[in-house]
Structures are given as structure tokens and as C-alpha cells.
Amino acid sequence: MAKVGLREFTSLARVLADGRLLRYGKGARGATAAFETAFAAQMGCAHVLTVNSGTSALIAALAAAGIGPGDEVLVPAYTWVSTAIAPLAVGAVPVLVDIDESLTIDPAAIEARITPWTRAIMPVHMLNLPCDMAAVMDIARRHGLVVVEDACQAIGVTYRGRPVGTIGDLGAMSFNHHKNMTAGEGGAVLTDDERLFVRAQMYHDPGNFIRGLKSSEEPVFSAMNLRVSELTGAMLNAQLPRLAPLMKRLRRRHGLMARALEGAPGCRISPHNDADAAVGLTVIFDRAEDARAFGDIAGVERLLDTDRHVFANWEAVLSKRAHHPRMNPYAWANREIEHRVEDHARTLDILGRTCRVALGAQYPLPVMAYRARVLRRALARRAPGYHEAVA
Ligand SMILES: *Cc1c(COP(=O)(O)O)cnc(C)c1O
């Protein structure tokens, strides 16, 4: 979770004193425009569009890529429900794919879910853990699929030296209250592709035809209002300098906690797709009951118990209901799409045996060193043979 302090107060005060809270009509001097330029530079991508949520960013990215009715979009079975809802919002359908022990989409499971109607893959970097992007991009290129990275939970995380969200064709980020950067609510679309950027911009404002958001090659189309105000821009300008220090604190705490938990009995550190740069830590147990017990400790959480992120609880998606029966993308699909819980037993098994260990970026290192010892002792106590040995 991001920190908010004096910097945000002064940044917001400047915008409030100026009095014009709409981003348009200010040119490059606006707070939101300034944020987009600075964020693009920091992420090393060509274009950033700020929108009002991470969900909006995912939807705008799919709309920009021209995804729509009849299309299938591959989504992992472990993510926030927005990743599965975004394809529905543009008229396409989500097709669920199992995760592997890295807690991200399993490249080996992707290919089995590809049909002649698959158009896109949405790899999700959960819990600051990067996906195996080399494998995902390879599959996407071979099958001609668009890649929309959901980096909502991983702003600032890198994969092989590149920030996640800038590796696929488009990336989506969230600035809601729980994320690595926050404006309370907010999101961003990232891309290197000029045409995708123009289309995302157009989709984010119904007033696209009066704001110069069209290009000569790209005729205007009807759109949504996903805009942000200058207050969001002001918050994000204040948040941006906090991102690199946050990643540094997470990396140091990861090293400390991972060393303490390495080789602990009954569990192992989950495989990570870029272990040298890790800023997120999870451990996987052989037995679900050991993970459940470990998850009861403060600062630890078994992933199956974070029920909102588990596909089996996405009632709206599993029931395939829409706000109006004739606006239901499942009726426009080229085949019957089934979301069966039993098809993803593997995802549920992994989530039932995996615990996230909070890295406590806000706490001093000695506190985290103490916590690491507490966790290590708790694992030792549950190990078979421990009670006999101390008796
Ligand atoms: C937070 C989140 C979103 C959506 O973000 P909002 O800003 O809340 O709309 C999407 N995907 C994932 C994985 C998230 O964690």
C-alpha cells in the first residue's frame, strides 16, 4: 500500500488554488499531462493515458486493440474479478486459464485454451509477482494474439529489467487505495504503439471529437467517460517519486524474509519468474492444512482465504449474467463458453497450499528481522518430529 503525506497536500493545494479541475484546456501544463510524461519516462514506454480506475484501464486497452463480440480472451483463474469482466465490457468473453506455483498464468496451460476465436491474453502480475512474460510473449507471437498485461498489483515491479506493464502490447495499472501508487481511485493504460494509444484516448472520452483526440487515420467512434480530474493528476505527481524507494524497501525486506524462510520444514519459497528482482514473497506447503495454520499468523495470509481473488467466487462471471439479456457477450460467442470450477482444481489446490508473507515496507528492517524469526519458529513447531525432539 502506498504512503500519502505532505507532498500530496501541497500538490493538491496547487491544483485547487488554480481552480480548473478538468484536465483539458491546459495543454502540457496540466497536472495530469505532466504525470503522464513523467510516468512514461520512468516506465520507459512511449505513451501513458490516465483513467479513472484499473478496471477502466483494462477495458480501454481491450477497446483500443479492437477486441469485441465473438472474441475470446485468456484470463488467469487467480486475479481480481475485473480482469475477467473487462473482456465482457467490450463484448468479448473471458476464458479461464490455470495458474502455476508462481501464482501467475501457467504458460503450459495457455495453449490448450487457444481456439480459432482467441484474440488476446491478459497475464496478471499478482501480489507484485511477475508473470513468465518471455513464455507468454512467445505464445502470443506464434498465435497472433494481443497481450494486455494487468499490472494493477505490480506497479514498479520489473521482469528481466523491464517494468511490467510495458512488455505486452498494452499494460493496465491501478491507483486505487490498495496499490503501489494511489490516488484513492485511478488507473493508467501504457503502450508503445501510437495507434493503440490514440484509440485508448478516444475510448476514454465521449468528447473525443472536440478535444483533438482523433488522428487522420483513426476516425472517431462513440466512447465512455473514463477521464480523471486534475486532482488525480496532482496526487499521482506526488506519488511518483515514492515508487522507486518503495521497491527498494520491498527488495531489502524480501531478501531478509526469504533467507529466514528458506529451507524451513514443510514448505518452500514459491518459484518466482525473476527471483533476483523479487519484491513479493509467497511460500507453498505440501499440505493445505499446514498452509491454513501458517496463514493464521499476523502478516501471513493463505491465498485461498483471500476469496475475492479466487475465480470460484466470481458469481457474476460464473453465472454468465449481464445487465440485460440481449447485451450478453456469451450469446455472441462462437461456441458455448463454460466456467466450471472442477476444470480449475489445480488453481484451487495451489491457492490452498500457498501463503503470502507481507514484506512490511512501512516497518524498520529490525522489526521485519524479528518477524522473520517468529515465522521460522512457527514453521519449526509444526514440523513432524519437533514435539518428540523437544520432549
Ligand atoms: C486492483 C486490480 C484491478 C482493478 O483496479 P481498480 O482500480 O480497482 O478498478 C484489476 N486487476 C487486478 C489484478 C487488481 O488487483
Side-chain angles (χ1 to χ4, degrees):
M1 210 150 82
K3 196 167 110 184
V4 174
L6 188 62
R7 214 197 311 255
E8 284 73 10
F9 270 80
T10 51
S11 186
L12 283 166
R14 265 199 301 278
V15 166
L16 288 170
D18 175 73
R20 285 173 304 171
L21 302 186
L22 187 75
R23 72 168 292 178
Y24 291 108
K26 295 185 155 195
R29 288 181 310 106
T32 311
F35 166 70
E36 288 169 346
T37 303
F39 195 46
Q42 188 158 327
M43 292 286 122
C45 73
H47 305 287
V48 169
L49 173 70
T50 316
V51 291
N52 55 10
S53 75
T55 307
S56 297
L58 292 167
I59 295 169
L62 291 172
I67 308 293
D71 296 338
E72 298 179 14
V73 179
L74 302 180
V75 170
Y78 175 57
T79 178
W80 169 238
V81 66
S82 290
T83 322
I85 283 177
L88 294 168
V90 297
V93 289
V95 170
L96 301 184
V97 180
D98 274 322
I99 55 162
D100 60 25
E101 289 187 356
S102 76
L103 286 326
T104 61
I105 195 162
D106 180 3
I110 291 177
E111 254 161 318
R113 305 293 275 168
I114 293 176
T115 70
W117 304 289
T118 309
R119 286 283 312 282
I121 311 178
M122 299 177 84
V124 184
H125 310 287
M126 285 297 278
L127 303 167
N128 280 335
L129 304 167
C131 297
D132 183 352
M133 287 307 292
V136 170
M137 294 309 289
D138 176 59
I139 295 167
R141 294 300 169 248
R142 279 191 284 112
H143 294 270
L145 306 177
V146 175
V147 175
V148 176
E149 288 178 85
D150 180 338
C152 288
Q153 287 197 14
I155 307 175
V157 173
T158 58
Y159 169 83
R160 297 189 183 176
R162 284 180 70 182
V164 297
T166 67
I167 301 164
D169 300 288
L170 295 132
M173 295 187 176
S174 166
F175 305 122
N176 88 18
H177 180 70
H178 302 288
K179 311 297 164 121
N180 292 344
M181 284 171 59
T182 187
E185 298 277 11
V189 182
L190 287 77
T191 185
D192 279 334
D193 186 302
E194 171 82 27
R195 175 161 179 265
L196 293 176
F197 175 62
V198 169
R199 284 179 57 90
Q201 261 191 324
M202 244 191 250
Y203 187 77
H204 106 298
D205 189 350
N208 48 25
F209 59 101
I210 53 161
R211 294 204 223 276
L213 300 183
K214 58 192 171 182
S215 74
S216 48
E217 303 86 62
E218 210 52 44
V220 288
F221 51 78
S222 54
M224 301 288 129
N225 181 356
L226 314 177
R227 296 188 312 252
V228 296
S229 82
E230 288 286 87
L231 296 172
T232 303
M235 275 296 285
L236 294 173
N237 279 320
Q239 286 274 297
L240 192 52
R242 299 189 191 277
L243 184 61
L246 172 65
M247 290 299 131
K248 194 169 157 203
R249 283 199 300 278
L250 289 174
R251 244 190 312 279
R252 289 177 73 176
R253 282 154 183 76
H254 177 277
L256 189 140
M257 297 296 264
R259 272 194 304 281
L261 296 176
E262 221 143 46
C267 73
R268 61 207 150 80
I269 294 185
S270 305
H272 189 289
N273 290 314
D274 189 355
D276 292 341
V279 288
L281 180 63
T282 59
V283 290
I284 182 158
F285 290 79
D286 299 331
R287 306 184 315 166
E289 61 259 43
D290 291 338
R292 194 184 306 119
F294 191 57
D296 284 340
I297 302 172
V300 183
E301 191 173 35
R302 186 173 74 135
L303 298 184
L304 192 62
D305 302 325
T306 63
D307 47 6
R308 60 196 179 278
H309 295 129
V310 182
F311 78 96
N313 300 312
W314 301 339
E315 192 186 337
V317 174
L318 298 188
S319 67
K320 302 195 277 183
R321 268 196 300 273
H323 74 281
H324 188 289
R326 290 179 64 184
M327 280 286 271
N328 192 327
Y330 290 98
W332 312 328
N334 286 296
R335 64 187 179 101
E336 185 71 22
I337 302 292
E338 300 279 9
H339 302 306
R340 279 187 298 258
V341 173
E342 60 271 25
D343 288 349
H344 301 287
R346 176 141 173 271
T347 293
L348 295 177
D349 170 58
I350 291 169
L351 296 176
R353 292 187 293 114
T354 303
C355 289
R356 180 178 80 95
V357 178
L359 294 179
Q362 70 277 32
Y363 295 108
L365 271 175
V367 172
M368 295 315 290
Y370 168 74
R371 277 207 193 171
R373 286 196 297 277
V374 169
L375 297 182
R376 177 83 194 200
R377 273 201 297 275
L379 289 171
R381 268 199 299 278
R382 277 191 73 81
Y386 173 84
H387 294 285
E388 291 83 335
V390 295

